[in-house]
């Protein structure tokens, strides 16, 4: 009897707490404690034949701003331009404190672009956007860079044709093309037949970590992962470290060459994202003598580069090689 009473009381508390949280958020399907709306999400993904279609169903049912609970974490979707503009552009400062998966936060220590928050994140984001703009992103210059890359890629295909026939795997083609553009912005070097293995190594490191990672890891506290899944946790942490070490090795070399005076950077004309960052790092070092006060550090740069690869590669490849864009209509 006591156990039943205890169980009912706990259940009532959990349900009331969930209800109180839900009340403060935009509408959405009824959520359950702990699992949130996962069950409805799975059901509607199956029913409407895709996750995008499932979200579209929720939008039609609950309006342009709705809440979906991904397990115990509420996720507010904003689907119209005016509200997005209002929230993220006009009131961007109010939304600087975002939810970060505890595991990511633990690994990055609030460094980088994807897994950082607050002032540090806002500063890196501001810098990255500015540096990208000066490298040509959002302007004709970027289009030119991409066209140069595509021309070079097509010449390689022509050169490898046998009896006038070439076999091209679309996703690998876009993979390396996108990787090459990203790398040429980051460190000023594209991938060709001679150094293509470097790109394949980066891709393999990211793929290996993605295979280890599940949605479950997004929400659970770090102590839980350490206690119950110690080897997977260690492998994931090591995986991120390996990725960051690999993708930032040229930045480290560039830093050494700048420091030793072997190859100074022209402050008026940085040739890559990394060069722009190193200039900023030097500038900040002159202003702030204590390292803990500085936002621009080599440790932070390693995370920034890792995050740019992570956020830029697969998203762009998947979009460019989507068959619905490629097939003739
Ligand atoms: C078609 C291609 C792309 C798509 C669909 C895409 C989509 C997105 C989305 C939806 C987010 C927001 C994620 C969130 O809710 O936090 C995001 C963030 C981000 N994207 Fe992209 N992206 C693309 C290409 C790129 C490229 C090429 C880069 C850079 C090389 C990039 C860098 C970033 C970064 C750094 C963030 C994190 C920003 C932050 O948290 O402040 N993305 N992207």
């Amino acid at each position: 009897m006591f156990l039943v009473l205890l169980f009912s009381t706990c259940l009532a508390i959990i349900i009331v707490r969930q209800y109180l949280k839900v009340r403060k958020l935009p509408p959405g399907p009824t959520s359950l404690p702990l699992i949130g709306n996962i069950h409805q999400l799975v059901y509607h993904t199956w029913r409407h034949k895709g996750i995008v279609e499932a979200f579209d169903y929720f939008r039609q049912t609950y309006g342009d701003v709705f809440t979906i609970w991904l397990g115990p974490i509420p996720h507010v979707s904003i689907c119209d331009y005016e509200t997005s503009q209002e929230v993220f552009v006009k009131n961007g400062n109010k939304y600087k404190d975002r939810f970060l998966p505890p595991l990511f936060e633990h690994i990055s220590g609030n460094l980088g672009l994807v897994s950082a928050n607050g002032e540090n994140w806002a500063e890196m984001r501001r810098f990255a956007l500015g540096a990208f703009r000066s490298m040509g992103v959002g302007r004709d210059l970027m289009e030119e860079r991409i066209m140069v890359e595509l021309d070079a890629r097509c010449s390689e295909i022509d050169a490898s044709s046998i009896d006038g026939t070439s076999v091209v795997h679309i996703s690998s083609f876009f993979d390396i093309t996108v990787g090459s553009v990203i790398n040429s912005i980051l460190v000023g070097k594209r991938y060709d037949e001679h150094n293509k293995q470097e790109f394949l190594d980066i891709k393999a490191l990211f793929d290996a970590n993605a295979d280890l990672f599940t949605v479950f890891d997004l929400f659970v506290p770090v102590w839980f992962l350490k206690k119950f899944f110690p080897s997977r946790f260690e492998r994931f942490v090591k995986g991120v470290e390996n990725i960051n070490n690999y993708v930032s090795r040229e930045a480290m070399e560039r830093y050494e060459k700048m420091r030793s005076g072997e190859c100074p950077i022209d402050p008026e004309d940085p040739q890559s994202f990394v060069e722009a960052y190193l200039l900023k790092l030097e500038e900040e070092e002159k202003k702030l003598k204590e390292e803990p006060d500085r936002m621009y550090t080599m440790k932070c740069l390693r995370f920034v580069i890792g995050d740019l690869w992570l956020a830029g590669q697969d998203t762009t490849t998947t979009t460019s090689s989507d068959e619905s864009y490629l097939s003739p209509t």
Side-chain angles (χ1 to χ4, degrees):
M1 183 62 191
F2 173 72
L3 280 181
V4 175
L5 203 66
L6 185 71
F7 177 74
S8 321
T9 315
C10 288
L11 194 66
I13 292 175
I14 293 174
I15 293 173
V16 170
R17 281 188 57 186
Q18 178 74 6
Y19 169 74
L20 292 176
K21 287 185 207 158
V22 165
R23 253 190 357 169
K24 296 185 195 147
L25 293 163
T30 308
S31 60
L32 295 175
L34 292 176
I35 62 165
N37 297 118
I38 295 283
H39 55 303
Q40 288 118 315
L41 198 57
V42 171
Y43 170 70
H44 286 290
T45 301
W46 166 77
R47 191 174 147 209
H48 299 278
K49 300 190 172 47
I51 187 119
V52 175
E53 288 75 6
F55 270 92
D56 203 37
Y57 162 81
F58 291 128
R59 186 184 63 81
Q60 284 170 30
T61 313
Y62 300 101
D64 279 335
V65 181
F66 60 89
T67 308
I68 295 288
W69 287 72
L70 299 174
I73 313 288
H75 174 111
V76 176
S77 298
I78 298 175
C79 310
D80 71 305
Y81 178 78
E82 284 75 23
T83 319
S84 307
Q85 178 82 2
E86 172 91 21
V87 170
F88 299 118
V89 180
K90 283 196 201 146
N91 295 306
N93 258 342
K94 287 192 191 152
Y95 295 87
K96 255 194 305 207
D97 194 18
R98 323 172 285 166
F99 165 77
L100 289 180
L103 175 62
F104 289 5
E105 216 170 350
H106 172 81
I107 294 175
S108 78
N110 203 31
L111 298 177
L113 285 163
V114 174
S115 313
N117 234 340
E119 265 320 305
N120 215 11
W121 164 68
E123 177 62 28
M124 287 307 135
R125 195 186 157 102
R126 231 185 336 262
F127 170 79
L129 286 171
F132 271 134
R133 230 170 265 132
S134 61
M135 300 287 136
V137 174
R139 292 186 287 133
D140 290 352
L141 191 56
M142 191 64 213
E143 191 178 333
E144 273 169 38
R145 267 180 193 251
I146 294 172
M147 290 319 286
V148 168
E149 181 60 42
L150 277 172
D151 278 347
R153 207 52 69 201
C154 291
S155 309
E156 280 168 23
I157 294 176
D158 287 345
S160 67
S161 75
I162 299 170
D163 295 334
T165 307
S166 307
V167 177
V168 179
H169 294 281
I170 293 293
S171 60
S172 322
F173 173 84
F174 279 112
D175 242 354
I176 191 157
T177 309
V178 170
S180 199
V181 174
I182 292 180
N183 207 47
S184 69
I185 297 172
L186 292 183
V187 293
K189 188 179 88 181
R190 60 174 298 273
Y191 294 118
D192 56 24
E193 277 308 306
H194 304 102
N195 61 2
K196 165 173 163 176
Q197 190 54 42
E198 287 176 29
F199 171 74
L200 297 176
D201 290 344
I202 294 177
K203 178 104 183 98
L205 285 169
F206 272 109
D207 287 350
N209 245 25
D211 287 346
L212 266 183
F213 191 73
T214 63
V215 177
F216 170 77
D217 300 305
L218 281 177
F219 307 115
V220 288
V222 171
W223 66 262
F224 184 91
L225 289 171
K226 277 187 184 169
K227 182 140 190 71
F228 296 106
F229 302 94
S231 97
R232 212 160 61 94
F233 172 78
E234 286 303 330
R235 274 192 291 155
F236 191 78
V237 174
K238 190 82 200 133
V240 175
E241 199 185 316
N242 289 342
I243 291 172
N244 287 346
N245 282 344
Y246 197 89
V247 294
S248 60
R249 68 202 188 292
E250 291 185 44
M252 296 296 162
E253 283 164 20
R254 189 69 194 85
Y255 175 68
E256 294 305 332
K257 284 188 179 160
M258 175 188 83
R259 277 289 205 243
S260 66
E262 184 188 336
C263 190
I265 299 170
D266 178 356
E268 299 306 316
D269 188 23
Q271 295 298 306
S272 64
F273 179 87
V274 163
E275 290 201 358
Y277 189 99
L278 294 178
L279 285 173
K280 189 80 186 166
L281 181 144
E282 277 212 315
E283 190 188 308
E284 206 186 50
E285 269 181 1
K286 281 179 198 147
K287 276 194 258 160
L288 302 167
K289 292 290 166 227
E290 299 298 320
E291 183 157 343
D293 298 337
R294 294 182 211 140
M295 286 188 183
Y296 293 84
T297 59
M298 289 311 279
K299 191 172 173 199
C300 181
L301 177 60
R302 290 171 68 248
F303 279 96
V304 169
I305 297 179
D307 282 351
L308 288 169
W309 271 104
L310 174 77
Q313 173 68 39
D314 262 6
T315 41
T316 316
T317 304
T318 312
T319 311
S320 352
S321 55
D322 186 325
E323 283 174 22
S324 56
Y325 292 113
L326 293 173
S327 45
T329 47

